[in-house]
Amino acid sequence: MKYIIETWGCQMNEHDSEVLAGMLADLGYKRTDDEMDADVMLLNTCCVREKAESKVLGRLGLLKKLKQNNPDVILGVCGCMMQQPAMADRIKKRMPHMDLVFGTHNIHELPQMINEAKASRTTHIQVWPEQGEVKEGLPIKRTHGIKAFVNIMYGCNNFCTYCIVPYVRGRERSRLSKEILVEIKDLVNDGYREIMLLGQNVNSYGKDLQDEGDFADLLKAVNEIKGLDRIRFMTSHPRDFNLRLVNTLASCNKVCEHYHLPIQAGSSRILKKMNRGYTKEEYLELISQIKDRVPHASITTDIIVGFPGETEEDFDDTMEVISKVRFDGAYTFLYSSRPNTPAAKISEQVPQELKKKRFQKLLALQNSITEEINKQLIGQTLPVLFEGTSKNDDTVLMGRTRTNKIVHVSGHAELIGKIVDVNIQGAQMFSLSGKII
Ligand code: 5AD
Ligand code: SF4
């Protein structure tokens, strides 16, 4: 019996897919890359922007053929998109070839749902409207062998006015630190070298629990784990990124010097409308505190272009912040109106053409900065943790610096999982190249 899982969206979804894969493996299913060969096919979906959603709907339509070829295949769709009101019914009505529809809160029910789907051929809808307790102990089949995702919390309480995530992922729930630490220790015993702590807003960690420390305390505890080399985390919220945390980052030797700190917009007026809870000046102050204590820190960000009511002046503020901070990289998005979010109800939506024009301008500026920063690394010798071989050439190794820059070198596969000094000799926009010394 074989399975295939297609995943859209963020690391959170990728990690949920690792849990789905773990449950399928426990049921005796093996992974395949060939959908014609699959007995179970799951689509784990994202709804953060409309584009992701329309791609999923198109993909679901195409699966009808798969069902016609093999009526026994179990087709399931899950994830954030399914948590939206009326979505499950819409799928049932328009895509009767789908067997299972479930949401983000009950992925642990997959084994029972598969049994139900085998027993009767109608579309089974099992979407929980609300989050349940944090589930511990689910099996996980990890995609990578060197670095592992570890959830530290679920959900989000921030309600940024453009964002659908709090509606589809529920309120913040932190895992107990003892559960997190046991999971990481086990991973280290299994040979993992790097841990990525995951949460929609990791800086809120512990706020919902009694007798638990905060995110800085958790980082300190993870930093003590013997045999672990690198710690990363995402995503941070600038509002909750306090000085104590900055000092903790500087003092924990395993915490990598790369921080993803979404700014979303450079204009304080727009930040207020977005309900982000900080101003442009406060964000710049935070960056200067970080750079002061961790001088070679790499900082990346998310930026939304064309939030409702964004004027040329607001956009110029964003351009100014990009020039001032000199981000190592930025994920840039065209604002996408999401159903039932407060921003969708604002009447002054920015025309699509204008959004695209601003987006191109911003991308050109950010790309030139990224390239300049990467070029400055030429000649330096940096420790690189090798994760695997290059997609196109298995004599080329792919690894990352502590600052999260991808590095390609030619080398032997036995270096995978090792940290090796590399002299950087070339720099492109998305990767560096070098020589092992
Ligand atoms: N439109 C565009 N981008 C969005 N994001 C979240 N919601 C929207 C939206 N409605 C972006 C934010 C967030 C990232 C994961 O996706 O920048 O940080
Ligand atoms: Fe969405 Fe804001 Fe929560 Fe991030 S912090 S998931 S942007 S609501």
Side-chain angles (χ1 to χ4, degrees):
M1 293 192 303
K2 303 218 172 109
Y3 74 86
I4 186 164
I5 304 178
E6 282 182 15
T7 310
W8 276 265
C10 63
Q11 269 97 351
M12 208 57 116
N13 260 18
E14 265 182 54
H15 187 47
D16 280 353
S17 290
E18 292 183 332
V19 177
L20 293 166
M23 288 185 282
L24 289 167
D26 271 11
L27 292 174
Y29 287 87
K30 300 243 173 320
R31 200 178 81 98
T32 174
D33 291 324
D34 178 4
E35 61 187 47
M36 300 307 281
D37 204 23
D39 302 284
V40 171
M41 178 160 190
L42 300 177
L43 272 64
N44 191 2
T45 65
C46 169
C47 58
V48 85
R49 282 170 293 275
E50 195 181 354
K51 210 163 152 193
E53 242 181 45
S54 27
K55 276 193 197 156
V56 169
L57 288 173
R59 186 78 187 105
L60 287 176
L62 290 176
L63 294 187
K64 194 171 173 182
K65 261 220 166 103
L66 211 64
K67 194 72 167 183
Q68 282 163 349
N69 281 341
N70 173 12
D72 289 332
V73 66
I74 294 174
L75 300 175
V77 57
C78 61
C80 294
M81 200 173 149
M82 298 306 121
Q83 285 296 144
Q84 294 182 81
M87 185 58 79
D89 289 331
R90 186 169 157 198
I91 304 273
K92 186 174 170 118
K93 219 189 230 159
R94 301 228 307 236
M95 322 262 184
H97 54 280
M98 296 305 297
D99 299 292
L100 291 177
V101 181
F102 55 104
T104 56
H105 301 312
N106 63 330
I107 60 173
H108 58 277
E109 293 189 319
L110 180 67
Q112 299 93 288
M113 290 191 271
I114 289 193
N115 280 340
E116 284 164 27
K118 278 184 180 162
S120 84
R121 291 277 133 148
T122 100
T123 307
H124 295 264
I125 299 180
Q126 225 153 300
V127 180
W128 288 10
E130 302 270 332
Q131 72 237 20
E133 297 278 296
V134 170
K135 278 264 169 231
E136 292 293 348
L138 293 175
I140 302 174
K141 188 163 170 33
R142 297 184 187 269
T143 326
H144 308 277
I146 308 300
K147 58 176 183 182
F149 295 133
V150 173
N151 260 323
I152 63 166
M153 59 186 302
Y154 304 89
C156 180
N157 289 357
N158 287 309
F159 290 94
C160 301
T161 55
Y162 50 80
C163 187
I164 199 166
V165 169
Y167 305 92
V168 295
R169 287 251 170 209
R171 296 295 69 70
E172 287 173 359
R173 287 97 70 205
S174 302
R175 288 179 70 196
L176 294 175
S177 60
K178 66 170 197 257
E179 301 279 2
I180 298 169
L181 295 173
V182 165
E183 181 177 348
I184 299 177
K185 282 177 192 160
D186 285 349
L187 286 165
V188 171
N189 286 337
D190 288 345
Y192 285 88
R193 312 284 311 263
E194 177 175 313
I195 297 297
M196 166 74 90
L197 304 174
L198 282 184
Q200 242 81 42
N201 174 13
V202 289
N203 312 112
S204 286
Y205 174 77
K207 283 185 187 165
D208 56 313
L209 297 176
Q210 274 173 357
D211 307 324
E212 279 287 344
D214 64 4
F215 183 56
D217 294 320
L218 181 68
L219 277 180
K220 281 186 210 157
V222 178
N223 197 61
E224 293 299 312
I225 295 177
K226 288 201 178 61
L228 178 63
D229 291 304
R230 291 182 170 189
I231 304 166
R232 301 185 190 277
F233 55 91
M234 79 185 323
T235 291
S236 293
H237 195 304
R239 188 196 50 215
D240 304 318
F241 209 104
N242 54 28
L243 195 54
R244 194 171 101 81
L245 178 59
V246 178
N247 288 330
T248 304
L249 300 178
S251 68
C252 289
N253 63 325
K254 293 177 185 172
V255 177
C256 292
E257 297 79 12
H258 166 236
Y259 317 121
H260 185 65
L261 261 173
I263 184 171
Q264 310 297 3
S267 145
S268 298
R269 196 181 75 87
I270 295 291
L271 286 169
K272 192 156 188 226
K273 285 188 167 200
M274 287 177 161
N275 189 31
R276 289 291 289 174
Y278 54 87
T279 61
K280 164 172 121 182
E281 290 72 25
E282 283 164 345
Y283 185 89
L284 290 173
E285 173 57 25
L286 171 61
I287 298 294
S288 90
Q289 284 173 353
I290 294 175
K291 288 191 171 169
D292 184 45
R293 285 161 181 81
V294 190
H296 301 293
S298 152
I299 296 171
T300 54
T301 200
D302 290 348
I303 299 174
I304 298 176
V305 177
F307 183 84
E310 181 188 77
T311 63
E312 216 48 48
E313 220 181 341
D314 294 320
F315 177 68
D316 287 345
D317 276 341
T318 302
M319 295 289 279
E320 186 202 324
V321 172
I322 293 178
S323 303
K324 277 197 172 144
V325 175
R326 295 183 61 78
F327 293 108
D328 287 69
Y331 296 92
T332 46
F333 308 104
L334 291 176
Y335 168 75
S336 168
S337 174
R338 301 288 58 220
N340 304 318
T341 57
K345 297 179 191 104
I346 303 176
S347 53
E348 342 140 62
Q349 301 284 325
V350 177
Q352 192 68 2
E353 279 315 303
L354 187 54
K355 273 194 227 171
K356 283 190 184 159
K357 221 170 105 192
R358 290 179 185 165
F359 182 89
Q360 290 306 335
K361 208 169 149 189
L362 189 148
L363 205 62
L365 174 63
Q366 181 53 53
N367 285 349
S368 68
I369 294 172
T370 300
E371 216 169 334
E372 277 167 30
I373 293 178
N374 286 354
K375 289 231 151 62
Q376 282 166 5
L377 296 173
I378 294 176
Q380 293 189 23
T381 296
L382 303 170
V384 171
L385 171 57
F386 289 114
E387 294 174 9
T389 53
S390 152
K391 270 187 211 140
N392 316 319
D393 182 350
D394 61 10
T395 64
V396 174
L397 295 179
M398 191 286 274
R400 282 175 202 267
T401 63
R402 287 177 60 102
T403 52
N404 210 32
K405 311 263 179 201
I406 291 177
V407 182
H408 290 118
V409 298
S410 60
H412 200 277
E414 69 192 17
L415 291 178
I416 294 170
K418 303 219 159 55
I419 296 176
V420 179
D421 277 342
V422 171
N423 185 256
I424 305 300
Q425 301 186 328
Q428 297 79 38
M429 181 105 88
F430 298 111
S431 65
L432 307 171
S433 53
K435 213 171 157 193
I436 294 171
I437 57 165

